[in-house]
Amino acid sequence: YINFDSKFIEINSTISKVSIDNCYNINLNENILNIQVFEKLKELRIEGQLRSIQTDLFKSFKYIAYIAISCYDLKYFFHQVGME
């Protein structure tokens, strides 16, 4: 279980690529992709089963150029979150 608390004051992070593999039933939100930790994120890859993706999660990531999401059960994902 990964959770980045928002109490960080300042982090000088240079993480540009993140891969989350074999995840199961996660809520992809700012607790996992904290903008203070991943401010310079350019590439994100996720493989597994997502429960949800936070609305407007990627708006704050000004360097993001590539997002790849491979869900094991896409029908389950769309059923959980619906379509906006």
Side-chain angles (χ1 to χ4, degrees):
Y1 176 68
I2 299 173
N3 187 358
F4 292 102
D5 195 325
S6 61
K7 294 178 185 173
F8 294 131
I9 296 171
E10 183 177 336
I11 297 176
N12 190 13
S13 172
T14 58
I15 299 169
S16 63
K17 294 181 182 181
V18 171
S19 181
I20 302 172
D21 298 323
N22 299 317
C23 64
Y24 177 73
N25 214 20
I26 67 167
N27 296 312
L28 190 59
N29 57 35
E30 61 191 14
N31 291 328
I32 294 173
L33 290 179
N34 186 293
I35 189 66
Q36 294 172 337
V37 176
F38 300 108
E39 180 182 10
K40 296 188 173 123
L41 185 65
K42 294 179 183 176
E43 182 177 312
L44 173 65
R45 295 174 184 265
I46 300 170
E47 182 179 323
Q49 186 173 359
L50 293 175
R51 175 183 281 169
S52 66
I53 299 175
Q54 177 183 324
T55 303
D56 298 333
L57 175 65
F58 301 110
K59 271 190 171 182
S60 300
F61 294 93
K62 57 185 173 183
Y63 299 105
I64 196 105
Y66 181 81
I67 300 171
I69 298 175
S70 177
C71 288
Y72 294 146
D73 190 349
L74 199 54
K75 182 178 176 183
Y76 169 83
F77 175 72
F78 285 137
H79 177 71
Q80 288 293 103
V81 299
M83 298 292 290
E84 271 192 50

